[in-house]
Amino acid sequence: MIWIAQLTDTHLNGGESGARFERIAAWLERFTPPVDTIVLTGDLVEVGELGDGAEVYTAMAERLASIAPAIAVPGNCDDPEALAAAFLVPGFGVAPLGANTVLVVGDAVAVIGLDSSIPGQFEGRLSAETLGWLETALAALPAGMSVILAMHHPPVALGHPAVDGFRLENPDSLAAVVRKEPRIVGILVGHTHGATVAAFAGKPVIVGPGIHSAMTLPQEPPTTPPSLIDFAVQPGVALHRIDGDTITTHFRSVAG
């Protein structure tokens, strides 16, 4: 049995978002026993506001290393090269491809991180190189190992008009891989700043709650002033329990 903490959409920018991230990190630090690994599903840094974010990624990686091994994938706001350099995962038989990497947790679970970012665009895409690398990585894993895929962009529409137009552009290509791989037990994504569960190619897709803010549905009671981004919501985390071919998820918000 493996416990994964999923953190997403921190959007670190030198302001309040850093304190919200630290709140989550300090909360996870008190787990007994600790979580087995941490998965970050993108939009970690507001690149541009903070240069290429290299120092920020490194500081984030060092902070989380004291809690559990971590793997990170880039979102549309990230610098994939700087992120990959900070969160380099060593020791697996298949070499990382850019920001695509694998973290093996014990002898039971492998987390495969995929770079779905497109430079300068909000929507996502898995390149042919990434999809080929994914199949190579899957083939290298032991037969009995459970697999979690992690990326930033949801491969399905979630019913939110503000983000559904910016989801993964080529979900059918990913679905073709997922459908023929029974070891995949779930897909972890970010991007929409809201705890959401959907299905894709017969597998659960779990969107982690945003740390920076929450994105409300248009039909919800409006915020003051009206906005689809709610900064008053407490930062959140998703806790995933992997037991064989079963994934169970608990969502938590962490008050200051």
Side-chain angles (χ1 to χ4, degrees), residues 58-172:
T58 299
M60 177 181 280
E62 290 175 350
R63 176 68 180 96
L64 296 177
S66 66
I67 303 171
I71 184 172
V73 295
N76 48 279
C77 291
D78 288 307
D79 181 318
E81 291 186 5
L83 180 148
F87 287 94
L88 178 65
V89 177
F92 182 67
V94 176
L97 175 68
N100 301 310
T101 190
V102 182
L103 176 64
V104 176
V105 187
D107 58 0
V109 175
V111 181
I112 301 181
L114 301 173
D115 181 0
S116 62
S117 66
I118 305 172
Q121 297 187 41
F122 286 109
E123 58 268 39
R125 170 169 285 273
L126 296 174
S127 68
E129 292 79 9
T130 288
L131 290 165
W133 176 89
L134 170 59
E135 296 207 64
T136 299
L138 288 167
L141 293 172
M145 184 167 282
S146 299
V147 176
I148 295 292
L149 301 184
M151 60 186 185
H152 184 64
H153 295 84
V156 293
L158 300 173
H160 197 301
V163 293
D164 280 347
F166 302 119
R167 63 185 187 275
L168 193 71
E169 288 186 333
N170 59 333
D172 291 347

Side-chain angles (χ1 to χ4, degrees), residues 17-33:
S17 56
R20 292 169 70 91
F21 164 71
E22 175 56 31
R23 194 186 307 173
I24 294 292
W27 184 77
L28 286 174
E29 208 164 30
R30 297 195 297 271
F31 266 60
T32 307

Side-chain angles (χ1 to χ4, degrees):
M1 184 187 310
I2 296 293
W3 282 91
I4 296 173
Q6 180 189 0
L7 282 60
T8 195
D9 294 277
T10 48
H11 289 273
L12 296 183
N13 58 11
E16 175 62 22
S17 56
R20 292 169 70 91
F21 164 71
E22 175 56 31
R23 194 186 307 173
I24 294 292
W27 184 77
L28 286 174
E29 208 164 30
R30 297 195 297 271
F31 266 60
T32 307
V35 296
D36 296 287
T37 191
I38 298 169
V39 177
L40 300 103
T41 48
D43 276 4
L44 306 184
V45 173
E46 290 287 348
V47 169
E49 293 183 28
L50 297 176
D52 65 0
E55 292 183 0
V56 183
Y57 291 122
T58 299
M60 177 181 280
E62 290 175 350
R63 176 68 180 96
L64 296 177
S66 66
I67 303 171
I71 184 172
V73 295
N76 48 279
C77 291
D78 288 307
D79 181 318
E81 291 186 5
L83 180 148
F87 287 94
L88 178 65
V89 177
F92 182 67
V94 176
L97 175 68
N100 301 310
T101 190
V102 182
L103 176 64
V104 176
V105 187
D107 58 0
V109 175
V111 181
I112 301 181
L114 301 173
D115 181 0
S116 62
S117 66
I118 305 172
Q121 297 187 41
F122 286 109
E123 58 268 39
R125 170 169 285 273
L126 296 174
S127 68
E129 292 79 9
T130 288
L131 290 165
W133 176 89
L134 170 59
E135 296 207 64
T136 299
L138 288 167
L141 293 172
M145 184 167 282
S146 299
V147 176
I148 295 292
L149 301 184
M151 60 186 185
H152 184 64
H153 295 84
V156 293
L158 300 173
H160 197 301
V163 293
D164 280 347
F166 302 119
R167 63 185 187 275
L168 193 71
E169 288 186 333
N170 59 333
D172 291 347
S173 298
L174 177 62
V177 178
V178 172
R179 287 195 179 98
K180 64 184 182 183
E181 182 48 80
R183 293 173 298 174
I184 296 173
V185 298
I187 304 169
L188 309 184
V189 301
H191 199 43
T192 67
H193 294 224
T196 311
V197 178
F200 172 76
K203 306 293 182 179
V205 174
I206 303 164
V207 187
I211 292 178
H212 170 266
S213 56
M215 187 170 289
T216 58
L217 292 166
Q219 59 266 43
E220 290 186 61
T223 59
T224 304
S227 173
L228 289 178
I229 303 294
D230 189 348
F231 295 98
V233 173
Q234 303 291 354
V237 60
L239 298 167
H240 308 290
R241 176 180 179 269
I242 315 299
D243 189 2
D245 62 357
T246 301
I247 181 169
T248 303
T249 299
H250 305 262
F251 296 108
R252 293 289 184 270
S253 58
V254 181

